[in-house]
Amino acid sequence: MKQLLFYTICALCTLACSTTKKQTSNPTTVSIQFNADSAYAFCAAQCNFGPRTMNSEAHELCGQWITQQFQQYGYQIELQKADLRGYDGTILKSTNIIAKSTKVQSPRILICAHWDSRPWADNDPDSANWRKPVMAANDGASGVAVMLELARLLQQNDSARVAVDFICFDAEDWGIPQWSNEVDGDSWALGAQYWSANCQKATAKSYQYGILLDMVGGQGAKFYREAFSMQYARSVVEKVWQAAGAAGYGSLFVNDSGGGVTDDHIPVNEKAGIPCIDIINYYPDCRQSSFGPTWHTVNDDMQHIDKNTLQAVGQTLVQLIFSEN
Ligand SMILES: [Zn+2]
């Protein structure tokens, strides 16, 4: 994903709105516990395949493993395969892994994350690493890990009044590398673009809203209100941030703007028409990147994953899911 720089206006807007809006309800804290140890293990299991770069064996094997996990938790799997063209002409053998809840009752919500690894560590401080693949423990595996733990937990606790579907989007991170001279086009989020363009109207309408998870396990991570999420799905942002507060993680979910990000939620909003937010880390004081020190570097590995971050995001989602009615 790629950061866009227009957060000054949005920050002002957020400030203005936060002074006029008061929270009307105080939702009670949900007692069901998200298990961060389990999510951490799901994250490590993906990394054990190696970097899951497009068209690699590790990618293929990890995709099979993710599919089996969701099936084990009672989910119906649809594999949406497509040959997608990367910015450099490479044909990317893409598979969106769609895990559907067997609960037929409405309403439904959608939670998604990308599962592919970036093939180039083009933001690494050492230029010798720029063409090496990224392990993508945070930028990929963490979002899928939180989704798998939620799927496991939803199977154990049948009391949620919403049905939760999950999508693991492929081919998110083949975007134009910083060392390339190519003009930046629509090179990111190719799997999500494909799913969104082919999404049936009835399917899109069945979702109340969507939540994208991207980089939800990093050390020292905080989550700010991403600008496109505020533009397309402001009420969802407010609901999720309120859930974070109720779950006890208000300090990690900051009530301020974190800029706009080109990510999988853009096509989900614009092409599929599902209001979808992006829960994505933001490090306003990090010189290496506002996505944090390990983003698109060879250091995006399990050594830099923090269970507390996984816990904060996971418990916030548990709070949200189990207080929906
Ligand atoms: Zn990335």
Side-chain angles (χ1 to χ4, degrees):
M1 68 302 307
K2 198 181 60 169
Q3 182 88 31
L4 302 174
L5 301 169
F6 63 90
Y7 46 82
T8 323
I9 297 164
C10 302
L12 286 172
C13 172
T14 308
L15 276 177
C17 297
S18 61
T19 52
T20 52
K21 269 217 158 173
K22 288 219 172 71
Q23 291 185 352
T24 47
S25 61
N26 252 333
T28 48
T29 305
V30 169
S31 62
I32 295 164
Q33 282 296 306
F34 183 86
N35 187 332
D37 290 330
S38 174
Y40 186 89
F42 287 138
C43 201
Q46 292 170 76
C47 292
N48 285 340
F49 288 100
R52 285 82 60 216
T53 52
M54 299 305 297
N55 301 343
S56 71
E57 193 188 6
H59 178 266
E60 176 66 27
L61 294 174
C62 186
Q64 290 171 12
W65 178 83
I66 292 169
T67 298
Q68 286 161 7
Q69 296 305 306
F70 278 115
Q71 283 172 335
Q72 192 181 320
Y73 303 132
Y75 271 77
Q76 281 180 345
I77 294 288
E78 182 196 327
L79 298 177
Q80 185 184 43
K81 290 183 179 285
D83 287 352
L84 305 176
R85 187 177 292 270
Y87 78 92
D88 55 351
T90 303
I91 297 301
L92 308 172
K93 297 282 182 189
S94 172
T95 305
N96 292 326
I97 303 169
I98 302 164
K100 288 211 147 193
S101 166
T102 52
K103 279 188 171 183
V104 286
Q105 90 248 39
S106 55
R108 301 184 91 77
I109 64 172
L110 175 67
I111 301 181
C112 46
H114 78 89
W115 70 279
D116 61 310
S117 298
R118 180 147 181 83
W120 316 286
D122 59 330
N123 201 51
D124 200 279
D126 182 353
S127 61
N129 292 328
W130 285 356
R131 286 168 196 268
K132 292 181 186 168
V134 178
M135 181 54 83
N138 194 30
D139 189 3
S142 69
V144 174
V146 168
M147 296 201 301
L148 284 172
E149 174 54 13
L150 286 173
R152 192 186 71 81
L153 200 139
L154 283 163
Q155 190 189 40
Q156 286 185 348
N157 300 275
D158 203 25
S159 60
R161 284 188 285 267
V162 287
V164 184
D165 292 345
F166 299 98
I167 303 181
C168 305
F169 286 126
D170 208 355
E172 191 277 337
D173 239 345
W174 196 274
I176 294 183
Q178 295 176 29
W179 41 255
S180 165
N181 295 322
E182 306 252 357
V183 179
D184 198 356
D186 238 0
S187 62
W188 307 86
L190 301 181
Q193 288 189 43
Y194 184 80
W195 181 82
S196 301
N198 292 286
C199 181
Q200 302 276 334
K201 269 206 176 112
T203 305
K205 274 198 169 161
S206 71
Y207 293 117
Q208 283 201 325
Y209 58 88
I211 298 173
L212 172 65
L213 309 176
D214 199 356
M215 300 191 278
V216 291
Q219 290 169 343
K222 288 196 175 179
F223 304 94
Y224 286 63
R225 296 172 172 224
E226 188 270 335
F228 293 117
S229 306
M230 290 298 280
Q231 182 187 329
Y232 288 116
R234 184 188 186 112
S235 64
V236 183
V237 173
E238 276 162 8
K239 198 196 277 239
V240 171
W241 260 244
Q242 201 169 9
Y249 294 102
S251 60
L252 267 78
F253 283 73
V254 180
N255 282 324
D256 206 348
S257 171
V261 181
T262 300
D263 208 344
D264 290 331
H265 67 315
I266 301 292
V268 173
N269 276 294
E270 293 183 352
K271 289 186 188 170
I274 301 166
C276 183
I277 71 162
D278 193 2
I279 299 180
I280 184 164
N281 62 14
Y282 181 59
Y283 296 71
D285 302 322
C286 179
R287 296 179 74 180
Q288 177 72 15
S289 165
S290 59
F291 291 131
T294 68
W295 178 71
H296 292 183
T297 75
V298 295
N299 289 319
D300 183 3
D301 53 22
M302 285 308 292
Q303 279 73 55
H304 296 88
I305 293 293
D306 186 345
K307 281 181 193 173
N308 294 314
T309 308
L310 295 169
Q311 181 73 43
V313 174
Q315 194 62 45
T316 292
L317 294 172
V318 168
Q319 174 72 35
L320 178 82
I321 291 165
F322 287 92
S323 49
E324 281 287 6
N325 46 37

